[in-house]
Amino acid sequence: MKSICILGATGSIGDSTLNVLRKHPDKFRVHSLTAHTNADKIIQLATEFKPEHVVVTDVDAYQLVRQQLTVQNTQIHCGSAALEEVVAEATVDLVVAGIVGNAGMASVLAAVQAGKTLLLANKESIVAAGELVMPVVQQTAARIIPLDSEHNAIYQCLGSEYQTGVRPDGVKSITLTASGGPFWQTEASQFKHITPAQAVAHPKWDMGAKISIDSATLMNKGLEIIEAHWLFDMPNQDINVLVHPQSIIHSMVNYIDGSVLAQMGCPDMQIPISHGLGLGQRLINDASFLDLLQQQQLTFYVADTDKFSCLQLAREAMVVGGTAPAILNAANEVSVAAFLAGQIRFDQIGQINDRILNAIQANQVESLAHLQDLDIEVRFKTETLINSQQ
Ligand code: NAD
Ligand code: MG
């Protein structure tokens, strides 16, 4: 019986994780669930799973949960600091990092400091804080198991060769596949007309709003290049990207002898999550089985970095290193939120990210506090830039 903490239980990753857990009550016990603002959903989930701890980071939502949650023996905590405490509890075996954005960074670091097995969906935290997190992994013998479908595909291909943050022997390069999002065939001249509703409607994956916009700009693939760099210790030139609109091959490992291993499946996050939770044991879930005869064609294209500038920006930030990925990531969180709020156009997301990445000097990552201060500074500068353009 594994005891599991789910950070971001009310989101899309939380949904897929809990769907898998419902099938395996004999294998997993829910230790803790966390939410930000969705009081109704966390009350419903806590009533069903009866965790020892519930953390609600938003104060208003916390008040509602306190008043309305009636499960006995569930302690309710408020605020982000409680996330760091709950992941480090001695009885926690597995931590699922399903918070979106930089808000998940401190709890990811805390889980690794506590030597936990971290099932990572929250790519932004490793993008921003990889330089802090990876040395701690080596010190504490924590493990990071990727849930992001591409990285999980590579982890599946590597099998026992995978060790967090260590380049596997015999690997020449890796190839991350990208669905291309809804607009990979749209003319760049049309980008200014794209609405939030169109951009959120991903053709293959059902995900939260922020990652859906990142998929539409290909910033998601850019963040995933940086994520792969940290998890598999790969340099920029050994991480390829291919647009594969069917989203059947989730990524590939290219070996020095010419062998290529790929992992395939229907685009459903229950598949990588089941694999991550199983720790080598296969677990059943509700995902559909792949029918290649029905699929008929698997196609591949070069990603157009002129049209999707965010992809190139991420590579540039990774090569600069230090705080550059954190700067790009924070700028992107603000520009995506501004696009969703109708404040900027779709084509401005990349432009704003570019301006901010080039306006702020990158330096060495010193500490979590350093990254948190930087996050505040970048958010302020990005918001100021957006407001000056209104
Ligand atoms: P979502 O928006 O559906 O859910 C986000 C979760 O984070 C919610 O539980 C919310 O309560 C919590 N949260 C939001 N802001 C918070 C804050 N300030 N403090 C604490 N908690 C906060 O997002 P999602 O699609 O589930 O994505 C979660 C993470 O997983 C992202 O980093 C995303 O890139 C990654 N990911 C998601 C998918 C997917 O299929 N959804 C696939 C691969 C990777
Ligand atoms: Mg992915």
Side-chain angles (χ1 to χ4, degrees):
M1 196 74 148
K2 296 272 185 210
S3 171
I4 178 161
C5 163
I6 305 177
L7 303 169
T10 52
S12 162
I13 289 291
D15 284 342
S16 300
T17 305
L18 291 166
N19 263 348
V20 177
L21 296 189
R22 283 188 184 96
K23 299 242 169 234
H24 303 282
D26 53 325
K27 291 191 170 69
F28 301 98
R29 188 171 61 83
V30 176
H31 169 274
S32 36
L33 296 172
T34 86
H36 189 43
T37 52
N38 194 341
D40 289 346
K41 188 157 176 184
I42 196 72
I43 290 169
Q44 182 202 319
L45 292 175
T47 306
E48 178 184 353
F49 288 95
K50 302 182 176 43
E52 282 162 49
H53 300 276
V54 162
V55 179
V56 186
T57 38
D58 177 80
V59 179
D60 295 335
Y62 165 77
Q63 301 293 2
L64 284 174
V65 175
R66 265 219 84 82
Q67 285 157 16
Q68 295 173 22
L69 183 63
T70 52
V71 183
Q72 274 182 356
N73 303 327
T74 294
Q75 293 180 41
I76 311 167
H77 314 268
C78 181
S80 325
L83 298 174
E84 291 160 65
E85 283 167 28
V86 93
V87 295
E89 285 230 335
T91 51
V92 170
D93 299 311
L94 302 175
V95 176
V96 174
I99 289 176
V100 61
N102 236 1
M105 188 167 63
S107 49
V108 160
L109 186 61
V112 168
Q113 276 165 341
K116 301 295 180 188
T117 297
L118 178 73
L119 308 183
L120 181 77
N122 175 217
K123 67 193 83 184
E124 295 92 342
S125 57
I126 206 83
V127 166
E131 225 169 286
L132 288 181
V133 171
M134 299 317 291
V136 177
V137 167
Q138 305 309 333
Q139 283 159 19
T140 61
R143 281 205 298 168
I144 303 183
I145 299 197
L147 297 186
D148 209 350
S149 57
E150 297 75 4
H151 307 72
N152 182 268
I154 292 167
Y155 165 63
Q156 293 206 32
C157 293
L158 293 174
S160 60
E161 293 162 47
Y162 175 73
Q163 197 187 332
T164 312
V166 178
R167 185 178 174 126
D169 279 347
V171 172
K172 180 170 172 287
S173 63
I174 54 176
T175 303
L176 304 179
T177 53
S179 70
F183 311 122
W184 72 279
Q185 288 177 305
T186 305
E187 291 290 330
S189 61
Q190 298 306 305
F191 277 15
K192 55 179 175 292
H193 303 301
I194 291 168
T195 64
Q198 289 168 328
V200 162
H202 196 279
K204 292 289 169 194
W205 296 93
D206 180 10
M207 311 183 285
K210 195 264 177 180
I211 183 175
S212 297
I213 303 300
D214 285 347
S215 299
T217 60
L218 291 200
M219 176 54 94
N220 183 49
K221 211 50 53 183
L223 298 177
E224 289 181 357
I225 291 172
I226 305 174
E227 182 184 10
H229 161 69
W230 288 117
L231 291 180
F232 309 113
D233 191 23
M234 290 277 164
N236 184 33
Q237 65 271 18
D238 294 346
I239 308 172
N240 313 308
V241 169
L242 271 184
V243 173
H244 167 46
Q246 296 84 14
S247 295
I248 295 298
I249 293 186
H250 297 300
S251 279
M252 311 176 218
V253 180
N254 311 299
Y255 287 90
I256 51 174
D257 63 358
S259 292
V260 179
L261 296 193
Q263 184 261 350
M264 299 195 284
C266 291
D268 185 326
M269 285 305 290
Q270 288 183 84
I271 298 175
I273 290 172
S274 299
H275 182 264
L277 287 170
L279 302 171
Q281 216 195 341
R282 297 283 170 180
L283 300 177
I284 55 156
N285 57 45
D286 279 336
S288 306
F289 282 92
L290 177 59
D291 180 348
L292 280 175
L293 275 180
Q294 197 198 359
Q295 192 62 42
Q296 286 291 321
Q297 274 201 327
L298 302 180
T299 55
F300 304 93
Y301 305 88
V302 172
D304 182 343
T305 48
D306 289 334
K307 205 156 91 170
F308 297 102
S309 60
C310 288
L311 185 57
Q312 192 54 31
L313 282 180
R315 284 203 189 264
E316 285 167 23
M318 182 169 85
V319 171
V320 171
T323 53
I327 294 168
L328 177 62
N329 179 58
N332 182 61
E333 286 191 25
V334 176
S335 54
V336 168
F339 169 67
L340 284 169
Q343 289 174 303
I344 60 168
R345 298 187 313 268
F346 183 77
D347 57 308
Q348 290 178 296
I349 298 174
Q351 293 165 14
I352 288 165
N353 292 348
D354 192 356
R355 292 261 308 263
I356 296 294
L357 179 64
N358 286 295
I360 301 177
Q361 175 68 41
N363 40 43
Q364 270 199 310
V365 176
E366 286 160 18
S367 62
L368 181 63
H370 174 210
L371 285 177
Q372 286 169 331
D373 288 348
L374 178 69
D375 190 58
I376 294 169
E377 179 195 341
V378 177
R379 276 168 201 278
F380 177 74
K381 288 194 168 144
T382 314
E383 280 160 12
T384 307
L385 177 63
I386 289 170
N387 291 335
S388 73
Q389 294 190 342
Q390 304 279 300

